[in-house]
Amino acid sequence: MSSATAAKTAEFETVVVETTHVACDGGADGLGHPRVFLSMGHDRQVVCPYCSRTYVLAEGAKAGGGH
């Protein structure tokens, strides 16, 4: 089961971003989803709960924020 999960994960897109707050709508291919706003907090990545697109903070960008 873990190999099937790993294979399925490889299908999802990874997007490198410059900010810890991102919006995801599933893309422009017509198979999108409602826009959701995601926050990485102090992590360096966040996964969209709808489409499993992974947003990764770019090297050198600062994680976290003033909360």
Side-chain angles (χ1 to χ4, degrees), residues 7-64:
K8 199 165 203 174
T9 303
E11 296 174 13
F12 299 119
E13 182 179 6
T14 299
V15 180
V16 178
V17 296
E18 297 287 331
T19 178
T20 57
H21 300 294
V22 295
C24 184
D25 62 5
D29 61 0
L31 299 175
H33 57 70
R35 180 175 287 187
V36 292
F37 297 91
L38 308 168
S39 177
M40 293 180 199
H42 291 285
D43 295 332
R44 296 196 64 86
Q45 70 178 24
V46 65
V47 177
C48 176
Y50 282 98
C51 66
S52 298
R53 182 179 286 169
T54 301
Y55 293 90
V56 177
L57 192 61
E59 192 68 35
K62 291 186 180 183

